[in-house]
Amino acid sequence: MEFRVTCCRHCFGVGHAYQWVDESEFADACARAEHEFEKALKARKAGDPPPRPTMLSDAGGYGFDPTLSPVDECERCAGQGVGRTVIKDTRFLSPQAAALFAGVKETKEGLQILTHSPLDAAEKLAKHLGFYEQDNEQKGKGLAEMVGAFAAGLHARQAGRLPIAQPGAPAGAKTPLGGMKAAKWK
């Protein structure tokens, strides 16, 4: 997800007038304005002043592109543009971003991007490995001893892979990391 500042509808309009995407968008806007005017006429009560129709113009031309940068000389936005939130396609997230992404929730205010907390994940991993003193006593093995055995395994493999078992231990053997079964890594 990112926040972009892009041009407003007047930045590239002829004479900085409102610019439409195409003739179809302009025609749709005219039809909506006419419908709203007719609705206001029907809702008018006796003695009320007549409603004013919305006057639309295509003097600014066509070809609005919301991806362009703002124009400094724009009389409407003064070169500040319009802020837009852009949500990327989540099918193409990097593995790191996908690990943090928990989903999207639609609310009455709009979309809410849900993420996993990397700090919560690290804390759960630390508890699982017995990094907290109370957990170490329950498992009967000291933190220094566990970390030492883990580091020795890394050193024996020249830290090329993350070892789970002692070097040379057969698959299924007990490991120095709290009794987990050894796994072969490719």
Side-chain angles (χ1 to χ4, degrees):
M1 182 165 72
E2 63 186 31
F3 185 77
R4 294 181 188 168
V5 177
T6 59
C7 63
C8 75
R9 288 286 190 141
H10 299 263
C11 281
F12 291 97
V14 177
H16 295 290
Y18 190 94
Q19 186 180 38
W20 301 91
V21 172
D22 55 25
E23 291 178 12
S24 177
E25 181 191 31
F26 178 66
D28 289 346
C30 289
R32 278 193 308 276
E34 186 177 338
H35 175 73
E36 290 298 319
F37 177 69
E38 289 172 3
K39 196 164 94 174
L41 276 176
K42 289 179 184 175
R44 181 178 158 208
K45 295 184 174 124
D48 286 350
R52 291 186 175 171
T54 303
M55 303 302 291
L56 298 176
S57 168
D58 65 348
Y62 302 107
F64 174 70
D65 182 354
T67 64
L68 299 175
S69 296
V71 173
D72 289 337
E73 296 80 29
C74 180
E75 297 167 5
R76 180 61 68 117
C77 73
Q80 296 299 306
V82 177
R84 291 181 172 88
T85 301
V86 178
I87 300 173
K88 301 286 186 168
D89 190 334
T90 58
R91 294 175 297 169
F92 305 109
L93 292 176
S94 68
Q96 296 85 356
L100 291 175
F101 182 71
V104 178
K105 179 178 170 184
E106 288 190 52
T107 67
K108 63 182 179 180
E109 289 85 22
L111 296 178
Q112 179 182 0
I113 307 298
L114 306 173
T115 59
H116 297 292
S117 168
L119 295 177
D120 288 346
E123 184 175 350
K124 288 177 184 176
L125 178 62
K127 281 183 179 179
H128 177 73
L129 294 175
F131 278 34
Y132 293 104
E133 195 171 311
Q134 65 187 23
D135 294 334
N136 291 340
E137 291 172 12
Q138 293 169 357
K139 292 187 178 189
K141 200 171 231 192
L143 174 62
E145 185 181 337
M146 289 173 49
V147 171
F150 182 73
L154 286 176
H155 180 69
R157 301 259 193 205
Q158 282 98 34
R161 290 182 233 133
L162 180 64
I164 300 297
Q166 290 282 350
K174 296 260 183 183
T175 68
L177 298 177
M180 294 187 291
K181 297 287 182 188
K184 299 245 180 196
W185 290 87
K186 295 181 180 182

